[in-house]
Amino acid sequence: MKRLITVATGLLLTLHLQAQTLSEKVMQQTCDCVSELTSLQQLQDSLQDCTTKAMVAVMQAGTAEERETLGRVEGITGVFKDVKEQLPDYCYNMRRLVVEGKTKEFYKLSANSKANKHYDTGNQLMDRGDYPGAIKAFEKAVKLDRNFVYAIDHIAVAYRRQENFAEAVKYYQQSLEVFPEGNLAHLNIAVAYTFLNDYDNALKHYKQLAYLYQDDPEGYFGAGKIFMLQANYADALDNLFTAHRMYEKAGSAYKQDSEKLITIVYGELKNKGQLDLFMQKAKEFNIEIN
């Protein structure tokens, strides 16, 4: 394949604008308010106020029908319900604050000093290649602190290094039960599922990673790889081009990995006589092929 050149002017996307519903207008205003916050505590303290201000702003600028809806108790209740249920999906700023707050809560050592000692012992044993011994030490740590995500994740790591991917999955799932937004668990369980040839579950976790951490290329790169393995080349290119642009912007050496996979997709499409799809996707992402 010829060399990829990413044009610096950004993506040239065709936006299909649709009329927003009343709840979507309120969510947009609420999300704008949330974007000014800097912590999970601020989000928890300010979300209702942000939503109320958003309703007032939408009511003032809205249609007669929208003003009538927001003038009724059932209308206000319905919009509040929509915002509560849908805002995390609609608003990345909200997801970001939740993830940042919970990361600080769970990605740390235990408050139980004995649990930390077992965790340290487990790391020492794992460094020496004694994975069964490390697992026993980490399990002792988790027994003392059921929410000790570091220790749970390290049990999974020890099993993964022994290529026992089924057991690794089991403990990454346990980790995600404690911290559902954990990026390390989502990334590594996806890798484990890939080794087990369970591409559907691998893709589910890569997608969740991209959803929760949309500024991190790893979710897109992983999803692109799985789509490629499934011969879904259109979605593969969407994700691989997204990851490639992010790697380039960050000056990351991983851009070589994304370029390798993109080259493989190029070859597959060339063999199938479908290079038009590749060129179409490259154009969508404003990437020139020289």
Side-chain angles (χ1 to χ4, degrees):
M1 187 188 74
K2 299 176 182 178
R3 184 172 178 80
L4 293 175
I5 298 179
T6 304
V7 180
T9 53
L11 296 178
L12 298 179
L13 298 177
T14 302
L15 299 178
H16 300 283
L17 299 178
Q18 298 178 342
Q20 288 181 306
T21 66
L22 175 58
S23 292
E24 286 172 343
K25 289 180 180 180
V26 173
M27 283 190 286
Q28 181 62 61
Q29 294 273 357
T30 304
C31 189
D32 291 343
C33 177
V34 167
S35 68
E36 300 175 4
L37 307 178
T38 59
S39 71
L40 178 58
Q41 187 61 56
Q42 284 186 343
L43 175 66
Q44 293 169 339
D45 293 341
S46 305
L47 183 56
Q48 184 168 344
D49 185 52
C50 280
T51 305
T52 301
K53 289 179 179 178
M55 284 189 184
V56 171
V58 170
M59 188 174 185
Q60 290 175 342
T63 65
E65 182 181 356
E66 289 171 339
R67 289 195 294 272
E68 181 182 352
T69 299
L70 290 175
R72 300 194 306 268
V73 172
E74 60 269 26
I76 294 174
T77 302
V79 171
F80 262 118
K81 180 175 182 291
D82 288 344
V83 171
K84 181 179 180 181
E85 293 177 352
Q86 300 174 31
L87 188 61
D89 287 338
Y90 193 89
C91 182
Y92 175 63
N93 289 322
M94 181 178 182
R95 297 200 302 276
R96 175 181 56 80
L97 290 173
V98 170
V99 167
E100 288 176 357
K102 295 184 76 172
T103 297
K104 291 178 182 177
E105 179 182 357
F106 290 109
Y107 278 176
K108 64 181 182 181
L109 293 175
S110 174
N112 187 312
S113 60
K114 291 183 179 179
N116 289 330
K117 287 181 180 178
H118 289 305
Y119 175 70
D120 289 340
T121 298
N123 282 323
Q124 292 167 13
L125 291 168
M126 191 151 64
D127 287 342
R128 296 202 295 265
D130 182 359
Y131 300 122
I135 289 169
K136 289 180 181 178
F138 293 137
E139 286 176 338
K140 289 178 181 178
V142 175
K143 188 174 182 179
L144 291 169
D145 182 353
R146 296 293 182 185
N147 294 329
F148 195 176
V149 171
Y150 276 171
I152 300 170
D153 282 346
H154 276 64
I155 295 173
V157 170
Y159 277 117
R160 181 179 162 187
R161 289 186 181 179
Q162 296 176 92
E163 299 187 0
N164 188 339
F165 300 112
E167 282 298 302
V169 163
K170 172 183 172 182
Y171 283 96
Y172 284 129
Q173 287 173 334
Q174 182 177 334
S175 175
L176 290 169
E177 288 174 5
V178 178
F179 180 21
E181 297 83 7
N183 64 325
L184 295 177
H186 278 297
L187 177 60
N188 287 291
I189 196 173
V191 172
Y193 274 127
T194 303
F195 278 113
L196 292 169
N197 295 320
D198 187 345
Y199 296 150
D200 288 342
N201 272 314
L203 185 59
K204 179 181 75 173
H205 286 280
Y206 280 130
K207 285 182 174 180
Q208 187 68 1
L209 192 63
Y211 167 76
L212 292 168
Y213 301 87
Q214 70 177 37
D215 295 327
D216 186 336
E218 292 304 310
Y220 304 104
F221 178 80
K225 179 170 61 177
I226 297 300
F227 280 128
M228 183 190 74
L229 291 171
Q230 294 177 325
N232 181 345
Y233 298 121
D235 286 340
L237 287 172
D238 282 339
N239 283 275
L240 290 173
F241 279 142
T242 298
H244 187 72
R245 290 183 62 88
M246 295 172 78
Y247 287 139
E248 282 206 326
K249 184 177 180 180
S252 171
Y254 288 119
K255 69 179 182 180
Q256 297 175 3
D257 295 333
S258 56
E259 187 162 347
K260 286 178 183 177
L261 293 190
I262 290 168
T263 301
I264 292 172
V265 174
Y266 178 93
E268 291 292 330
L269 290 174
K270 182 178 181 180
N271 291 338
K272 294 176 181 293
Q274 297 176 5
L275 275 183
D276 285 350
L277 173 60
F278 186 93
M279 302 310 293
Q280 172 196 332
K281 291 296 182 181
K283 184 177 180 180
E284 287 176 11
F285 284 84
N286 211 22
I287 292 177
E288 295 180 356
I289 310 298
N290 283 351

